Amino acid sequence: IDTWLRDPYSIYAGYILNLQVLDPLEKPLDAAIRGQIMHKIFERFILQTKDAPLVNAQDQILTIAREEISKRHENEHIWSFWWPRFTRTAAWVAQTESQWRESGASNVSVEKKGETLIETKGEPFTLSGTADRIDSTPNGAAIIDYKSAGSFSKKKIQNGELPQLPLEAIILSHGGFPETPPMNTSIMQYWILNGSGQGGAIITIDQNVQELYTKTHENLRTLIESYDDPTTRYISLPRPDQQPRFNDYKHLARIQEWSTSGDEDESFEEDAA
């Protein structure tokens, strides 16, 4: 959905023309790979500790990280440049996780893909997505997403530029995640795990969550119905100030030939709670 909003042309190229990007012969250790291993580390950590007291949490995280790195075929020395930042992240997560659980939160689901139907004027639309983490709190569900890089802020979540968490809340409210009961969301969080500063930070939305949920649901329905119209064009970068973080089809759209906008700043916007 985020790509659909920021660059409809990429949806057209990828899903209508079915033009798939090939991996390079020598794939570099980029942010995407680090993000994948980060998710796997914390998936294992939560599953191993969800039903037991936290003891030496940082050491557990680092042990899991070493095991996951050893499974990769890349040169392990490449990871040595990332490791000092990750150790700060591990320490931050260990402390944050302890405080989070002391507040009454408990894990319900980790890395589960879910889906639900969105009713529109046309055919029903299947909304699907993977929630990094769903926790139960005294006030309702908390949807948490881990981010290792990128630009995220409360403002972007609230104004619809970052619809991921509210969309996951829609799926959750309809019981769309396997083995997870329908729940109303009261907290949405991005855990920024980039190793900077203390190792991490949290962006929290815990005010007017139901209003954000309702607005996102209405906007999604409007978006779907708009593109149900055959005359709607899949244009490239309708808002140049809101470019996607990754764009595999910009050469086909000839963006450099007609665009005068610069690259989006991917730095973390720290208005974290």
Side-chain angles (χ1 to χ4, degrees), residues 201-236:
I202 297 179
I203 296 174
T204 297
I205 298 293
D206 57 5
Q207 301 292 325
N208 302 318
V209 175
Q210 184 59 42
E211 179 182 335
L212 177 60
Y213 171 100
T214 301
K215 182 172 66 175
T216 301
H217 201 289
E218 293 173 351
N219 289 345
L220 175 61
R221 187 181 293 110
T222 299
L223 178 69
I224 296 166
E225 292 176 351
S226 173
Y227 279 87
D228 275 344
D229 183 348
T231 65
T232 300
R233 297 178 299 157
Y234 289 76
I235 62 177
S236 180

Side-chain angles (χ1 to χ4, degrees), residues 54-73:
L54 281 179
V55 179
N56 298 324
Q58 181 179 356
D59 291 340
Q60 291 187 60
I61 294 170
L62 294 177
T63 297
I64 295 171
R66 293 187 184 96
E67 292 173 356
E68 289 299 322
I69 290 174
S70 69
K71 296 177 184 178
R72 271 66 181 176
H73 297 294

